[in-house]
Amino acid sequence: MKIIRNYISGELRSAESGAWIDSVNPATGEIYSQLPDSDQTDIHLAVAAAKAAFPEWSSLQAEARSNFLLKIADAIEDNLESLAVAESIDNGKPLTAARTLEIPRAAKSFRFFATAILHESSEAHSAGNEMLNYTLRQPIGVVGSISPWNLPLYLLSWKIAPALAAGNCVVAKPSELTPMTAYMLAQLCIDAGLPGGVLNIIQGTGIKAGAPLVEHSDVKAITFTGGTKTGATIARTTASTFKKTSLELGGKNPTIIFADCDYEKALSTSIRAAFANQGEICLCGSRIYIEESIFDRFSADFAKNTKALVVGDPLDDSTDLGALISNDHLEKVLHHVQIAREEGGSVLCGGDRISVEGRCAGGYFMRPTVITNLPTQCTTNQEEIFGPVVTLNPFKTESEVVKYANATKYGLSASVWTSDVHCAHRLAAVLEAGVVWINCWMERDLRTPFGGVKHSGVGREGGWEALRFFTETKNVCLAIS
Ligand code: NAD
């Protein structure tokens, strides 16, 4: 049994209550680790540690903070393989994805923000020889970071790297379903000599550990990535206490395929966009709109290539889809397929649980599922399923597909496939989404703003947007004469 601990004031500690939560390997269904079942007492200790560390950390020169973060980036890279294996075991995702994309990206986030702060400057506004205004961007204080289970270290680092780089101290609460790589990061931070209290990681549930972090009066900002419902709960709390809040929430993203697209590229990328990480990425394209003239051919090829995807042991390099995060989540996704059937949908492939032989016999696996024949307004096309389930839908005209694409409460991302550059730009302007990919998917340049509209979130992180969120802006006006 592996034991995970909190990271408070530079030390690894159990929850003060001594309570533990079992953590399950989704690929086997077996309990393999225990994490602290932290509560408000642990949150209080962590916030106090962060508050005590803030004066010194925030007054360090940018270069000194940068050096600490670069050491953490190096440590992640040096431990890439063990972090990738841990992420795969904790989450059920294919090891290849953790090894080639997610863990390297966590290191990149630290490196990116460590160097960004060396190039930061702020504005000055001169009014002749009478007044000079300049802008100070100062760290906020203690920042609370709450992150989900689907891309654990990737999303944790996306939040804490800019917060620390900007001079804040952080209390982070990773998902209780995937605590392992956050714990390993704590050990790497100790080895890198990060001063105690600058980063604190509290493990535990949303209710017992997440909520007290959001409510704590010494926490001045909350950065949250997770479900829309949880985001609404957090927003209610932070609104009444006027905390700076960034919310990155759910999605129901359209992939729009015009007949003049690069067919093979659109086909292979839309399949990847549908089923990467078992469909458990907020940016997955789960509603696919295909121009009517190629609908039959594209649907047949989509289903054929989906059937060829390998569902299996996440540690096996040939696996395309690993296990879903939990039995409850698998049941929820299967229930959505049942709803789709009741709504009149035709299941072209998948739709069922799958048993993987050998050590993964008890795991939570499901076949990738493709459904057609559903109207835009049905539950299947409206609700985020967050699993390996997509719908294929025909459209006739550009204006019609824009209406379909925008007809959900979400607005995170969209992908457009066409060789007509004018059409691509017209759609990019009118699609209700925080990110529009044209002839690609999930290209994520760290300099670009990231976030959603409507129920997909409030605020932007990434690049300068993140450094702005994690600082308070002050205008200083100086009379010259
Ligand atoms: P979730 O909302 O259930 O949990 C997210 C985090 O919030 C966890 O750490 C959880 O413990 C914590 N939490 C739960 N209730 C809380 C409360 N009342 N107060 C404080 N913290 C609380 O989400 P999840 O199931 O872990 O993740 C899946 C969701 O995340 C999906 O909806 C997905 O679209 C979304 N997501 C969004 C993005 C994005 O960038 N927009 C990225 C990844 C995932």
Side-chain angles (χ1 to χ4, degrees), residues 302-385:
F302 194 99
K304 186 175 126 216
N305 292 1
T306 297
K307 278 183 204 158
L309 294 173
V310 178
V311 182
D313 187 337
L315 299 180
D316 188 332
D317 279 354
S318 63
T319 292
D320 296 306
L321 281 84
L324 271 65
I325 184 69
S326 66
N327 199 44
D328 283 354
H329 190 59
L330 172 60
E331 293 293 338
K332 185 194 127 187
V333 176
L334 290 171
H335 180 61
H336 268 285
V337 177
Q338 181 55 32
I339 291 174
R341 287 198 164 100
E342 286 161 15
E343 289 177 324
S346 312
V347 177
L348 293 188
C349 64
D352 50 348
R353 189 173 184 152
I354 186 173
S355 182
V356 171
E357 282 176 17
R359 75 170 198 105
C360 294
Y364 315 131
F365 296 89
M366 175 178 176
R367 262 184 246 279
T369 303
V370 181
I371 307 173
T372 58
N373 206 25
L374 285 168
T376 305
Q377 287 305 330
C378 71
T379 302
T380 311
N381 270 329
Q382 290 293 318
E383 296 299 323
E384 184 187 45
I385 298 173

Side-chain angles (χ1 to χ4, degrees), residues 210-268:
L213 177 61
V214 176
E215 285 157 15
H216 202 296
S217 58
D218 285 337
V219 174
K220 301 300 176 196
I222 292 289
T223 169
F224 171 77
T225 298
T228 294
K229 220 171 139 194
T230 314
T233 304
I234 288 173
R236 274 193 290 276
T237 307
T238 56
S240 62
T241 48
F242 306 103
K243 271 176 206 182
K244 236 180 158 181
T245 307
S246 168
L247 300 171
E248 302 191 333
L249 310 175
K252 187 75 182 174
N253 312 301
T255 301
I256 300 172
I257 298 178
F258 285 91
D260 66 355
C261 68
D262 176 337
Y263 187 91
E264 291 305 327
K265 201 170 167 207
L267 182 65
S268 59

Side-chain angles (χ1 to χ4, degrees), residues 146-150 155 173-176 204-207 210-211 214 224-228 230 233-234 248-251 282 384 386 412 450 456:
I146 299 178
S147 47
W149 48 261
N150 64 324
L155 288 173
K173 198 210 78 67
S175 169
E176 60 273 33
T205 65
I207 296 298
V214 176
F224 171 77
T225 298
T228 294
T230 314
T233 304
I234 288 173
E248 302 191 333
L249 310 175
C282 54
E384 184 187 45
F386 216 56
L412 191 55
F450 181 81
S456 288

Side-chain angles (χ1 to χ4, degrees), residues 62 71 132 149 159 262 286 339-340 364 376 389 399 420 474:
K71 273 193 200 164
L132 173 67
W149 48 261
K159 296 184 166 303
D262 176 337
S286 53
I339 291 174
Y364 315 131
T376 305
V389 179
S399 58
D420 178 345
K474 186 183 287 174

Side-chain angles (χ1 to χ4, degrees), residues 60-258:
L60 284 181
Q61 292 293 318
E63 199 173 349
R65 286 202 302 275
S66 174
N67 286 339
F68 280 116
L69 299 186
L70 290 172
K71 273 193 200 164
I72 297 171
D74 289 344
I76 294 173
E77 277 163 359
D78 292 346
N79 292 275
L80 191 150
E81 188 63 15
S82 57
L83 285 163
V85 170
E87 201 75 297
S88 171
I89 293 172
D90 227 17
N91 171 279
K93 66 176 70 239
L95 172 58
T96 47
R99 182 192 282 140
T100 57
L101 178 83
E102 295 177 33
I103 306 302
R105 173 65 172 220
K108 267 187 201 152
S109 279
F110 277 100
R111 207 175 291 293
F112 177 87
F113 288 106
T115 49
I117 52 168
L118 304 179
H119 305 274
E120 207 185 5
S121 56
S122 64
E123 307 84 32
H125 307 270
S126 154
N129 49 14
E130 289 173 11
M131 298 285 166
L132 173 67
N133 286 278
Y134 64 93
T135 305
L136 277 182
R137 293 191 201 284
Q138 298 171 306
I140 307 169
V142 180
V143 168
S145 157
I146 299 178
S147 47
W149 48 261
N150 64 324
L151 304 169
L153 192 64
Y154 177 124
L155 288 173
L156 179 72
S157 57
W158 161 257
K159 296 184 166 303
I160 63 180
L164 295 173
N168 304 285
C169 292
V170 174
V171 178
K173 198 210 78 67
S175 169
E176 60 273 33
L177 298 176
T178 50
M180 187 57 86
T181 50
Y183 172 59
M184 292 168 76
L185 178 70
Q187 290 173 312
L188 297 180
C189 289
I190 293 171
D191 297 345
L194 187 71
V198 168
L199 172 64
N200 306 272
I201 300 176
I202 299 294
Q203 306 278 1
T205 65
I207 296 298
K208 282 174 76 175
L213 177 61
V214 176
E215 285 157 15
H216 202 296
S217 58
D218 285 337
V219 174
K220 301 300 176 196
I222 292 289
T223 169
F224 171 77
T225 298
T228 294
K229 220 171 139 194
T230 314
T233 304
I234 288 173
R236 274 193 290 276
T237 307
T238 56
S240 62
T241 48
F242 306 103
K243 271 176 206 182
K244 236 180 158 181
T245 307
S246 168
L247 300 171
E248 302 191 333
L249 310 175
K252 187 75 182 174
N253 312 301
T255 301
I256 300 172
I257 298 178
F258 285 91

